[in-house]
């Protein structure tokens, strides 16, 4: 068996990991969380899928990573694949993390001040602990570096782009890349135009033409675009000035409101969890029903707008926790796109749940797919491909 790849996703106080074998062998995965506190702990699933929890009081990223390596059942990974949120304009594909590349990741930290420093902490810890292992960075933004200028530029003074990198970057690239490649494999060939909807806690849409991202809903930050669990998505850019002048809100207050108290949660005044929202709407909760309506309408509107980037439309792909599990959301989004000749097979839609892949159109019109995303698997694949190219 070829050695597995260890995939790592570092947050400011957590490390998610998955050991991805080259074949269909079971994955070892888990999360170290609350790092930096006395409650720090590692939750790990073993090869039989059984969960184990270990207390790691006071652990930092390096201590947690050492604990993760100790639970890999004796496997030595081929390489470590790091998920990195922002690659700016430097990175169009996975890259080997040498000193020069790490300096370039540091240089993009201003564009993702909450995420990139955490990713860098994970890279530093992994390099120090395992200097002999290749470390590879896979960027959420890289897949979208194929956007044409007319899709990535904002209509702002050009100097803001030239001097400060203010442009649309897009995120969730690993997921959009994975599901569109999978749809190519299922449909045959790659001469396709797909509209993809990644609907999880964060949500984004993408137009993929012949395997390349041509436009996407997220922009400079992961706040732009469709409605999300707690993030607003698009608002009038005049909102900030209005709230500041009329209500005296500071920029930090406005930023926190848009990121943490908006979206499904803000609209419903209830929850950001789609399962709870659907149940509440069933019971007649008006806020939950409105949140669902706005969510689905805005996704449809975003997909319709992104269709401008595709010469022809092969079909739509739903993924992410909501896209994979909510027949109601899928049906509402499709119903809100009346001019695209989409025909949903209601029975197939209802039956495609819980991580199942399936085609849910009635066979006469663009294809409709549910494809469970696999960001860890995609990061492992891109890591392997890079090492093979460099071998
Ligand atoms: P993340 O973006 O954090 O990876 P996920 O992709 O797991 O999140 O998506 C989380 C969302 O998926 C939540 O809103 C959750 O309610 C929703 N979800 C999970 N299962 C279901 C389900 N059976 N029906 C509707 N929504 C679901």
């Amino acid at each position: 068996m070829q050695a597995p790849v260890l995939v790592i996703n570092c947050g400011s106080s957590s490390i998610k990991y998955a050991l991805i074998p080259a074949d269909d062998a079971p994955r070892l995965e888990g999360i170290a969380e609350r790092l930096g506190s006395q409650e720090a702990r590692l939750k790990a699933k073993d090869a039989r899928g059984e969960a184990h929890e270990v207390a790691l009081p006071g652990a930092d990223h390096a201590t947690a990573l050492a604990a993760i390596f100790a639970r890999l059942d004796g496997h030595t990974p081929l390489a470590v694949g790091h998920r990195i949120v922002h690659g700016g304009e430097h990175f169009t594909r996975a890259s080997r993390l040498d000193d020069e590349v790490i300096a370039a990741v540091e240089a993009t930290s201003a564009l993702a001040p909450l995420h990139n420093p955490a990713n860098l902490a994970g890279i530093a810890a992994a390099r120090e602990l395992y200097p002999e292992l290749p470390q590879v960075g896979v960027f959420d933004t890289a897949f979208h570096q194929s956007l044409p200028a007319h899709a990535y530029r904002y209509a702002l003074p050009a100097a803001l782009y030239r001097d400060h990198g203010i442009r649309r970057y897009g995120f969730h690239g690993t997921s959009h890349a994975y599901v569109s490649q999978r749809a190519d494999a299922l449909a045959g060939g790659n001469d396709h135009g797909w509209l993809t909807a990644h609907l999880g806690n964060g949500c984004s849409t993408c137009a993929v033409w012949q395997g390349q991202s041509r436009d996407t809903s997220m922009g400079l930050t992961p706040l732009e675009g469709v409605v999300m669990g707690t993030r607003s998505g698009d608002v009038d850019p005049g909102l900030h000035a209005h709230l500041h002048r009329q209500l005296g809100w500071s920029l930090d207050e406005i930023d926190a409101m848009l990121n943490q108290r908006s979206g499904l949660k803000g609209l419903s005044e209830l929850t950001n969890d789609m399962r709870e929202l659907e149940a509440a709407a069933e019971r007649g909760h008006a806020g939950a029903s409105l949140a669902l309506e706005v969510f689905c309408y805005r996704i449809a509107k975003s997909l319709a707008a992104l269709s401008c980037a595709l010469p022809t439309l092969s079909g739509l792909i739903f993924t992410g926790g909501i896209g994979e599990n909510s027949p109601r959301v899928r049906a509402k989004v499709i119903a809100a796109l009346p001019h695209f000749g989409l025909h949903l097979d209601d029975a197939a839609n209802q039956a495609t749940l819980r991580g199942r892949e399936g085609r849910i159109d009635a066979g006469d019109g663009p294809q409709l797919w549910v494809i469970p995303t696999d960001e860890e698997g995609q990061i492992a694949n891109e890591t392997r491909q890079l090492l093979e190219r460099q071998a």
Side-chain angles (χ1 to χ4, degrees):
M1 189 191 89
Q2 244 193 314
V5 172
L6 180 65
V7 173
I8 280 183
N9 182 357
C10 265
S12 56
S13 65
S14 69
I15 305 179
K16 272 195 214 156
Y17 73 93
L19 187 72
I20 312 283
D23 54 20
D24 290 335
R27 296 177 176 186
L28 301 178
E29 55 193 12
I31 181 166
E33 53 191 18
R34 303 195 192 180
L35 299 178
S37 81
Q38 284 311 305
E39 285 78 49
R41 61 191 173 194
L42 173 62
K43 293 183 189 160
K45 257 200 252 163
D46 65 21
R48 291 191 305 280
E50 277 175 37
H52 302 266
E53 196 168 317
V54 194
L56 298 170
D60 59 6
H61 283 84
T63 318
L65 204 56
I68 289 169
F69 264 83
R71 302 192 78 83
L72 299 182
D73 280 0
H75 293 292
T76 303
L78 173 74
V80 183
H82 295 263
R83 177 193 176 202
I84 303 178
V85 168
H86 216 309
E89 289 187 327
H90 294 284
F91 298 105
T92 57
R93 48 156 63 173
S95 300
R96 188 84 172 245
L97 292 164
D98 55 25
D99 290 340
E100 197 182 321
V101 166
I102 290 172
V105 176
E106 278 164 355
T108 59
S109 282
L111 292 168
L114 300 179
H115 294 105
N116 274 26
N119 301 151
L120 284 161
I123 294 166
R127 282 182 105 201
E128 195 169 314
L129 283 168
Y130 305 99
E132 70 289 356
L133 282 185
Q135 312 278 336
V136 174
V138 178
F139 301 87
D140 269 18
T141 49
F143 183 57
H144 302 302
Q145 279 298 303
S146 47
L147 259 60
H150 63 255
Y152 73 69
R153 285 293 296 273
Y154 291 115
L156 295 170
L160 282 174
Y161 168 63
R162 257 192 332 264
D163 302 341
H164 302 287
I166 305 293
R167 51 160 283 181
R168 309 183 63 249
Y169 290 95
F171 298 87
H172 288 146
T174 306
S175 179
H176 292 296
Y178 173 78
V179 298
S180 57
Q181 285 165 16
R182 181 76 193 131
D184 283 347
L186 291 163
N190 91 335
D191 201 14
H192 292 291
W194 301 111
L195 292 173
T196 58
H198 175 106
L199 311 176
N201 279 313
C203 301
S204 67
T205 54
C206 184
V208 184
W209 173 244
Q210 293 179 336
Q212 292 201 323
S213 174
R214 306 298 291 167
D215 201 355
T216 188
S217 60
M218 285 176 167
L220 175 72
T221 74
L223 188 55
E224 186 177 333
V226 296
V227 174
M228 313 183 205
T230 62
R231 282 176 250 167
S232 62
D234 293 340
V235 292
D236 184 334
L239 177 71
H240 295 67
H242 180 83
L243 293 176
H244 176 66
R245 290 191 195 118
Q246 302 301 320
L247 306 181
W249 288 21
S250 71
L251 264 186
D252 283 346
E253 285 169 329
I254 297 169
D255 195 44
M257 178 274 291
L258 293 172
N259 277 290
Q260 293 152 25
R261 294 192 283 118
S262 297
L264 295 173
K265 190 173 183 187
L267 269 170
S268 67
E269 297 189 294
L270 193 65
T271 174
N272 58 309
D273 188 304
M274 183 53 80
R275 277 164 297 202
E276 287 176 34
L277 219 51
E278 289 192 23
E282 281 299 314
R283 295 194 306 271
H285 189 287
S289 299
L290 177 68
L292 263 168
E293 294 299 327
V294 175
F295 183 73
C296 295
Y297 175 70
R298 293 268 297 267
I299 293 164
K301 196 165 140 176
S302 171
L303 293 171
L306 290 188
S307 73
C308 297
L310 300 177
T312 61
L313 177 63
S314 305
L316 266 55
I317 305 167
F318 291 93
T319 192
I322 299 171
E324 293 164 28
N325 292 300
S326 176
R328 181 199 306 244
V329 166
R330 296 191 299 244
K332 275 175 131 1
V333 169
I334 289 162
L337 288 164
H339 310 300
F340 287 76
L342 308 173
H343 293 128
L344 184 65
D345 177 331
D346 289 317
N349 184 37
Q350 293 297 333
T352 309
L353 300 163
R354 282 181 279 280
R356 283 190 43 201
E357 180 175 275
R359 190 165 164 181
I360 57 169
D361 59 84
D364 54 345
Q367 300 170 32
L368 300 172
W369 285 99
V370 177
I371 300 183
T373 195
D374 184 9
E375 289 168 283
E376 291 80 15
Q378 179 78 9
I379 291 172
N381 278 342
E382 292 188 23
T383 299
R384 274 181 207 289
Q385 285 161 9
L386 173 72
L387 295 181
E388 277 161 22
R389 276 200 305 275
Q390 292 184 342

